[in-house]
Amino acid sequence: MLQSLVLRPTRRLYSKLSARLRRGALAACMAASFATALGAFVMHPPEIEDLSEERSNELPSLLDQWEEGDVIVLLRHLERCDKEDYPCLEGTEGITSRSVPVGSLLAEGFGQLGLSKTDVYNSPLTRTAQTEELVFNDLGIDEDWLYKCRETMLEDALERKVPGKNMVLVTHSSCISAFEQSLGYDTETPEYGTALFFTKPADSKFLKVVGFLDADDWKRALEDGARRQRG
């Protein structure tokens, strides 16, 4: 009924317009629709892009920055057991047993990068602690702020970033979203085991968004990055 009350007077008014005015009204409506769509596109925050695809040209620089100790990595924990119909690795609050091969891929990737100049921190919740143990052989330090992270995730990370040392944060999707939003980004929820890379040189106040890698893209991406680095 409400629709009829709005549409009928509009149709009567439109029918009384001349052909020229009708064309003008139609053009104005189309222009308004286009402007609305364009505004929505422009105002939507950017998304972090894939280092194995759109941002692959950043890989050589990322490898150089890693050697300098200027990289921050946010790593989402592996597949949580209470959300999937797969056996748990250990305890119902942790990750699934099928996460072990994925953890091995990540361990190999981080091992290839090298961890001699890297601090590892993890949320103490079971799924993040198990992920850290699989990937980093229990080198990580438990930190509550890696799950109590809604408002200060970025500030907490930057406070603990040591110049000349990379930082890996094993955390949760909500914390990753909070970190991204503080930088003006809004990306879809990352897959389990996805790593997001940022760089912050010691002589810079700014954090650069580099890109992300899904767990199964590490090997190809690192080989490609090393090949480009060699020239």
Side-chain angles (χ1 to χ4, degrees):
M1 181 177 179
L2 179 61
Q3 187 179 26
S4 298
L5 290 173
V6 173
L7 290 179
R8 285 174 182 170
T10 303
R11 287 171 179 165
R12 284 198 295 269
L13 177 62
Y14 184 78
S15 66
K16 294 179 180 179
L17 295 177
S18 65
R20 182 174 63 83
L21 290 177
R22 288 183 184 181
R23 288 194 296 271
L26 182 60
C29 289
M30 293 176 65
S33 298
F34 177 76
T36 301
L38 181 61
F41 175 79
V42 171
M43 294 299 291
H44 190 276
E47 296 186 354
I48 296 177
E49 295 181 318
D50 194 337
L51 277 166
S52 68
E53 296 179 0
E54 305 98 336
R55 299 282 287 178
S56 60
N57 61 309
E58 293 285 343
L59 286 167
S61 175
L62 177 63
L63 295 178
D64 288 339
Q65 296 276 27
W66 185 270
E67 292 174 3
E68 296 295 323
D70 294 336
V71 180
I72 297 175
V73 184
L74 271 62
L75 177 65
R76 188 186 180 197
H77 60 78
L78 297 173
E79 184 179 66
R80 56 186 293 179
C81 186
D82 60 351
K83 296 288 186 179
E84 304 292 337
D85 293 327
Y86 289 91
C88 300
L89 179 63
E90 182 180 350
T92 57
E93 299 300 316
I95 60 177
T96 61
S97 57
R98 70 171 181 173
S99 296
V100 174
V102 182
S104 296
L105 287 175
L106 290 169
E108 183 179 346
F110 279 105
Q112 188 173 338
L113 286 176
L115 296 173
S116 61
K117 294 195 297 184
T118 303
D119 292 324
V120 179
Y121 300 95
N122 62 272
S123 156
L125 300 188
T126 304
R127 56 187 177 273
T128 38
Q130 287 181 346
T131 299
E132 186 280 322
E133 185 174 2
L134 270 177
V135 179
F136 300 104
N137 198 26
D138 208 18
L139 293 175
I141 300 171
D142 290 357
E143 292 284 350
D144 286 352
W145 61 274
L146 284 171
Y147 75 93
K148 299 175 181 177
C149 55
R150 299 297 176 139
E151 296 179 358
T152 61
M153 180 67 177
L154 177 60
E155 291 82 357
D156 288 336
L158 293 178
E159 281 180 9
R160 291 162 176 79
K161 172 68 173 71
V162 177
K165 295 197 75 175
N166 302 304
M167 170 188 278
V168 178
L169 307 175
V170 185
T171 186
H172 307 268
S173 59
S174 58
C175 298
I176 292 172
S177 294
F179 193 94
E180 287 184 16
Q181 289 168 12
S182 295
L183 294 169
Y185 283 76
D186 186 13
T187 308
E188 292 182 4
T189 302
E191 299 291 333
Y192 294 118
T194 293
L196 292 86
F197 293 84
F198 309 83
T199 57
K200 186 184 181 299
D203 60 354
S204 174
K205 296 181 180 179
F206 301 102
L207 194 68
K208 178 184 177 183
V209 178
V210 183
F212 73 85
L213 278 177
D214 290 329
D216 55 359
D217 288 331
W218 274 71
K219 181 177 175 60
R220 176 168 55 88
L222 290 182
E223 289 175 352
D224 181 39
R227 185 168 54 254
R228 296 187 187 201
Q229 194 179 34
R230 292 191 298 268

